Amino acid sequence: MKFASVVIDQDAKAIDREFEYKIPDDLDITLGERVLVPFGNRTLQGFVVDIEDSSTFDETKLKSILSAVDGFAVIKKEMLELMKYMATKLHLKLASILRLFLPSEMRTGKVKELLVRFVELNDNFEMPNKNAKKQLEIIAYLKENGKAKFSDISNEFGYQALSTLSKKNIVRVYFEEQKRNIDYDKIADNKRVLTPLQQRAVDTISENKTYLLHGVTGSGKTEVYMNLIERELKKGKTALMLVPEISLTPQVLANFKARFGEAVALIHSGLSAGERFDEWRRIFFGEARVVVGARSAIFTPIENLGIIIIDEEHEQSYISESNPRYDTHEIALFRRQYNDCILVLGSATPSIESYSRALDGEYQLVEMPVRVNGMEMPKIVIVDMINELRHGNSEIFSIPLLAELGNVVEKKKQAMIFINRRGFSSFQRCRECGYVAKCKDCDVSLVYHRYENKLKCHYCGKRYKALDICPSCGSHNIKQGAIGTERVVEELKRFFPDVPIFRMDNDTTSTKNAHRSILSQFREAKPGILVGTQMIAKGHDFEDCILVGIVDADQSLYQSDYRSIERTFQLVTQVSGRAGRSKDQGKVILQTYSPRHYVYRFAQNYDFKGFFKKEANLRRVTNFPPYTKVLRILFSHEDENIVANEIKLCYNKVQKVKEKYPDDFIYLDVMKSPLNRIKTKYRYQILMRFKLEKADEIENEIYACVDEKCKSSVFYEINPNNLS
Ligand code: ADP
Ligand code: ZN
Ligand code: ZN
């Protein structure tokens, strides 16, 4: 007799542990299989996460597994290990982790393999008589072409004739699984001879460890990735490449398909449920040997990994902010170690965290400091919008931007106008002098809460009066809110009525293939202008785009987030990287109300190292990550009394931990979350910041402060992107 530990596939804290069941002798159950088990008076689905020869319980009291669901292990061994790791390290529910590993259409059984009816001739048969013209035509067709789709033959020659042939056993009708066709642009592979810098990068990245590839925009990182992947495939290994959802452009997909053909599986949000199901199965059964996908692809069951690549590693979308919350980097590091393979983190603007790990020797730094074709980086011109205002221009566009746009139109070239939507409408700013209110204690910008008409610090919870007069210059001209893409397009049309203008944002790309269609129309439009949000910031490669306009660069600068300056630097660098990628020198017009902010000076000079030094130093002296840890515990419940009481109890215990480590805690407080109620649930949070030396110890004590039985949902986040 064998015994199985089963995790029930239910998102409920109370039953989120392993339950033991007997495996009946006539059932062949393997580790990682889905099974049906009796649970209370119900039959539920679960996953076998362990199999033992003996039980720690009274055998006679154990129930037996009823049946297997799939007949094979849907969760592979590596993923079971990963589940354990994520449960201990991130304090996530087992069932919610397992759900990450299977596409939901697979779990719910709502999507199946696509079966298509085919016909072919049988080996021996008697010819029908001469009058049966249609039947003879079908036979002739099948003789010539072999098998054919039932529907095609039926449409062409008539259902009647076909079904007669089948009844007479002349043709055989059968089903075959057909993979759903994924749409992508078919192009020819344009493999290039590597430049010496690219070659050096490929040669250096050869050991099974983690590399940080710092290559400026246009340095040809993609070609390096592809060469690395090719090398692993030749060795019989597989590859996993992650890109941020927004840079999963049609171009990227087309390039990978052109180079690696059928070996590529694509995982992204634009797939239909059926397509996702098929791609997942192609990966699971080893047909796909290169996976290209967004964040969730890190959980795909690809085996025998030789390399994992995280492109644009600094992107915040690699941190999942909905439940379960995880950081893709951590999962990648786990899989790298498990598979003993290469991990490459690539970016033109590495995160402060990754770069400091590289300087510490934890990752190996590989640099590509110049563009492939030797083109200079585009010239970034900083335009002081306050100055524009003083000269009577209160429009969205500055005079220099309009002039440059005119120039582009005249030359029949292209321009991109970037609208920064991050931190959308969240801060108040003086239009006259650029003043933005900051928290006295935390040195982060305050967030404007419209409904209460208050400014709040999202780090310490302190509240301030909303501005109606600027404390710095006395002006009443206080601005809040951001400019939308629609407005910008309208304004542009006023100035350039004959130029095709395209808009790319969440609204215009919600339908399937919209993304692709906008980009391909823009590609043909010369002159043409593309207006967009973060979506246009990266990945795109338009030869004739010689101008980039950044309408409101500061939007991401004054967020309540300690990373807001870093984000601004990354954004400006990435967006600027879209200009002048081919023969013509590019130009960037950056409109700002804070022209003297150091972030713009470093970005203007493409001085990542200088920026890193300044920013890292600031983080060190102000005690922010990566030199400390921010931990948020978020409680939510529909009943405000329950959540308030439960968090209070937890907070009291956390305070005791703080008393035990007085030198390590920099900050601790409890508060309502800025978004106090979401989907009818009230949200409260405990925020803390502590030093790194004893962080693991402290974290464990903190996790123990949360009552297992509390009614609220509880989530933990380390160094969250967003504290709303
Ligand atoms: P990055 O991702 O570093 O910004 P890309 O990978 O998009 O840069 O490459 C920029 C451009 O250079 C692309 O158009 C690409 O096709 C081209 N390219 C890459 N490698 C080479 C090479 N070795 N020779 C010529 N062109 C190249
Ligand atoms: Zn002012
Ligand atoms: Zn504060």
Side-chain angles (χ1 to χ4, degrees):
M1 174 73 75
K2 296 222 183 218
F3 301 88
S5 300
V6 173
V7 173
I8 305 295
D9 187 16
Q10 294 280 317
D11 193 10
K13 199 162 49 180
I15 59 168
D16 196 68
R17 54 191 171 86
E18 297 174 17
F19 292 93
E20 264 193 59
Y21 286 90
K22 287 192 277 201
I23 303 180
D25 290 333
D26 59 339
L27 267 189
D28 182 22
I29 301 272
T30 54
L31 195 59
E33 259 192 83
R34 273 199 299 180
V35 290
L36 292 179
V37 291
F39 195 87
N41 49 14
R42 289 189 292 170
T43 298
L44 294 178
Q45 186 171 293
F47 297 90
V48 175
V49 298
D50 202 3
I51 294 183
E52 298 282 352
D53 288 322
S54 60
S55 169
T56 45
F57 292 101
D58 177 359
E59 271 185 43
T60 57
K61 297 218 173 101
L62 287 181
K63 292 181 186 168
S64 292
I65 290 177
L66 299 172
S67 62
V69 176
D70 308 278
F72 60 90
V74 289
I75 307 290
K76 292 183 178 174
K77 189 130 174 290
E78 178 183 0
M79 292 310 181
L80 287 176
E81 295 293 320
L82 179 56
M83 175 195 79
K84 287 176 196 153
Y85 172 80
M86 288 174 75
T88 356
K89 190 89 199 281
L90 308 175
H91 294 264
L92 297 173
K93 282 181 285 193
L94 297 170
S96 65
I97 300 170
L98 287 168
R99 285 178 177 197
L100 290 170
F101 301 165
L102 276 187
S104 62
E105 30 295 318
M106 174 108 186
R107 258 188 349 100
T108 53
K110 286 204 182 105
V111 178
K112 294 267 180 267
E113 302 91 297
L114 189 66
L115 294 177
V116 176
R117 225 164 11 150
F118 279 87
V119 290
E120 65 183 9
L121 289 172
N122 274 323
D123 289 339
N124 304 307
F125 57 84
E126 225 170 275
M127 279 302 243
N129 78 39
K130 286 200 194 79
N131 299 332
K133 278 223 179 77
K134 287 286 175 202
Q135 296 180 27
L136 291 170
E137 280 175 32
I138 294 177
I139 292 171
Y141 180 89
L142 289 175
K143 267 194 182 146
E144 179 141 346
N145 297 289
K147 70 173 187 188
K149 271 191 195 166
F150 188 98
S151 56
D152 290 351
I153 298 288
S154 161
N155 288 338
E156 179 89 23
F157 304 100
Y159 175 78
Q160 197 59 44
L162 183 54
S163 85
T164 311
L165 286 176
S166 159
K167 275 186 210 127
K168 289 201 241 166
N169 255 335
I170 295 175
V171 300
R172 187 170 77 86
V173 180
Y174 63 99
F175 287 91
E176 220 173 67
E177 181 185 344
Q178 186 133 45
K179 299 281 192 248
R180 295 151 177 105
N181 276 331
I182 290 183
D183 248 353
Y184 61 90
D185 298 325
K186 291 169 189 75
I187 57 166
D189 186 13
N190 62 346
K191 191 166 178 179
R192 328 269 193 155
V193 179
L194 295 183
T195 64
L197 265 183
Q198 286 174 318
Q199 189 64 53
R200 193 186 70 182
V202 171
D203 292 342
T204 309
I205 301 175
S206 58
E207 285 175 57
N208 290 337
K209 56 181 192 181
T210 305
Y211 295 87
L212 179 64
L213 176 61
H214 178 208
V216 296
T217 56
S219 60
K221 293 186 286 295
T222 317
E223 195 57 51
V224 169
Y225 300 148
M226 292 213 208
N227 273 263
L228 292 169
I229 292 172
E230 262 182 317
R231 193 174 69 199
E232 294 307 315
L233 293 181
K234 277 202 193 109
K235 288 195 265 178
K237 301 266 185 170
T238 63
L240 172 57
M241 161 135 157
L242 303 180
V243 288
E245 184 78 47
I246 43 171
S247 61
L248 202 51
T249 59
Q251 226 173 329
V252 173
L253 304 185
N255 282 329
F256 269 78
K257 276 284 187 189
R259 180 76 51 92
F260 302 109
E262 282 299 292
V264 183
L266 302 172
I267 300 283
H268 62 94
S269 63
L271 298 184
S272 70
E275 288 166 348
R276 198 159 37 239
F277 176 85
D278 280 357
E279 289 296 77
W280 188 87
R281 282 167 46 96
R282 292 207 310 124
I283 298 165
F284 187 92
F285 293 111
E287 283 166 48
R289 300 182 56 223
V290 180
V291 175
V292 180
R295 178 176 77 205
S296 66
I298 192 67
F299 297 114
T300 50
I302 185 161
E303 286 179 295
N304 197 17
L305 273 171
I307 188 165
I308 304 170
I309 297 164
I310 303 185
D311 188 28
E312 313 283 6
E313 68 89 26
H314 63 277
E315 264 294 304
Q316 45 179 334
S317 64
Y318 284 121
I319 296 178
S320 156
E321 288 181 344
S322 53
N323 306 313
R325 295 164 193 246
Y326 62 86
D327 180 355
T328 311
H329 287 74
E330 266 185 85
I331 314 296
L333 285 164
F334 174 92
R335 295 197 75 177
R336 191 214 73 72
Q337 190 148 27
Y338 186 93
N339 291 280
D340 189 24
C341 69
I342 299 174
L343 171 61
V344 179
L345 310 173
S347 176
T349 50
S351 68
I352 297 289
E353 171 135 32
S354 294
Y355 200 79
S356 66
R357 285 192 187 188
L359 294 187
D360 292 345
E362 213 175 310
Y363 303 157
Q364 184 176 335
L365 188 61
V366 182
E367 294 175 301
M368 297 204 292
V370 293
R371 287 191 155 180
V372 175
N373 50 11
M375 281 302 296
E376 274 180 48
M377 301 304 289
K379 185 172 160 47
I380 300 179
V381 179
I382 294 174
V383 176
D384 180 350
M385 291 307 276
I386 293 166
N387 205 26
E388 290 281 314
L389 206 62
R390 282 200 198 108
H391 287 90
N393 178 14
S394 57
E395 306 271 340
I396 299 176
F397 306 118
S398 61
I399 304 297
L401 181 53
L402 283 174
E404 289 297 335
L405 280 168
N407 185 28
V408 166
V409 170
E410 199 165 294
K411 284 190 186 154
K412 298 210 180 327
K413 296 280 184 182
Q414 300 183 313
M416 287 186 178
I417 303 289
F418 174 74
I419 323 282
N420 196 347
R421 288 288 285 275
R422 219 153 256 166
F424 180 60
S425 79
S426 60
F427 62 91
Q428 285 191 314
R429 179 177 59 203
C430 170
R431 271 179 179 276
E432 300 289 332
C433 75
Y435 172 88
V436 171
K438 287 192 162 184
C439 177
K440 289 191 189 72
D441 297 336
C442 308
D443 202 28
V444 293
S445 313
L446 297 172
V447 177
Y448 179 62
H449 288 237
R450 190 181 306 270
Y451 299 106
E452 298 163 78
N453 194 29
K454 284 252 154 51
L455 292 167
K456 286 193 202 171
C457 172
H458 280 195
Y459 276 90
C460 68
K462 198 170 262 160
R463 301 150 143 266
Y464 299 81
K465 250 177 62 192
L467 298 179
D468 44 29
I469 290 182
C470 170
S472 168
C473 75
S475 162
H476 284 273
N477 197 351
I478 305 287
K479 172 199 168 218
Q480 54 232 1
I483 309 156
T485 43
E486 242 176 315
R487 252 294 306 278
V488 169
V489 171
E490 260 166 43
E491 288 287 298
L492 277 175
K493 283 196 172 134
R494 236 166 26 100
F495 290 104
F496 306 102
D498 303 323
V499 177
I501 297 169
F502 306 90
R503 174 158 78 97
M504 201 153 113
D505 55 25
N506 282 333
D507 299 334
T508 61
T509 54
S510 55
T511 56
K512 201 178 172 180
N513 288 329
H515 208 139
R516 241 169 86 196
S517 131
I518 296 170
L519 290 174
S520 67
Q521 286 176 54
F522 174 58
R523 191 173 291 281
E524 300 307 318
K526 290 168 195 171
I529 304 174
L530 177 65
V531 176
T533 54
Q534 264 71 1
M535 262 178 220
I536 64 167
K538 50 188 49 102
H540 304 292
D541 196 20
F542 293 100
E543 276 192 1
D544 284 306
C545 177
I546 55 167
L547 175 68
V548 165
I550 306 176
V551 166
D552 199 350
D554 311 337
Q555 280 291 333
S556 58
L557 194 53
Y558 299 115
Q559 279 184 70
S560 61
D561 177 353
Y562 67 88
R563 277 186 277 223
S564 57
I565 297 171
E566 178 184 3
R567 302 263 180 246
T568 307
F569 181 83
Q570 291 164 345
L571 215 53
V572 170
T573 310
Q574 294 286 352
V575 186
S576 303
R578 296 316 108 207
R581 293 169 71 87
S582 189
K583 303 170 288 295
D584 305 287
Q585 164 84 34
K587 199 175 228 183
V588 178
I589 304 287
L590 186 156
Q591 302 187 161
T592 169
Y593 289 88
S594 310
R596 271 165 297 279
H597 197 292
Y598 67 84
V599 70
Y600 297 130
R601 191 160 35 83
F602 286 117
Q604 186 176 34
N605 296 326
Y606 294 95
D607 183 5
F608 174 80
K609 284 184 184 158
F611 173 72
F612 173 83
K613 230 169 146 181
K614 169 112 189 165
E615 188 63 19
N617 194 44
L618 191 70
R619 300 269 184 96
R620 193 179 294 118
V621 297
T622 53
N623 280 315
F624 272 106
Y627 303 101
T628 57
K629 258 189 185 179
V630 175
L631 173 59
R632 159 158 97 154
I633 312 178
L634 181 71
F635 279 58
S636 66
H637 196 277
E638 294 197 347
D639 184 331
E640 187 161 18
N641 287 324
I642 290 180
V643 68
N645 283 331
E646 288 184 343
I647 202 158
K648 189 87 210 306
L649 289 176
C650 178
Y651 180 64
N652 290 341
K653 290 189 210 161
V654 176
Q655 272 183 317
K656 299 250 157 55
V657 180
K658 183 185 170 195
E659 281 159 24
K660 199 169 150 191
Y661 300 93
D663 297 335
D664 294 271
F665 270 81
I666 296 148
Y667 168 75
L668 168 67
D669 207 354
V670 62
M671 67 195 81
K672 287 184 182 179
S673 298
L675 293 172
N676 188 218
R677 193 159 178 245
I678 293 184
K679 291 181 187 156
T680 74
K681 285 189 170 180
Y682 288 92
R683 295 149 47 94
Y684 281 69
Q685 63 195 24
I686 299 173
L687 269 183
M688 64 199 97
R689 212 168 353 130
F690 44 82
K691 294 183 184 158
L692 295 181
E693 290 76 24
K694 296 181 194 149
D696 286 346
E697 211 176 305
I698 294 175
E699 265 173 70
N700 281 333
E701 295 212 20
I702 300 284
Y703 292 133
C705 295
V706 179
D707 186 352
E708 289 283 315
K709 291 195 194 63
C710 76
K711 294 196 184 90
S712 308
S713 309
V714 181
F715 304 106
Y716 307 94
E717 274 178 303
I718 301 280
N719 302 345
N721 267 331
N722 175 334
L723 289 176
S724 54

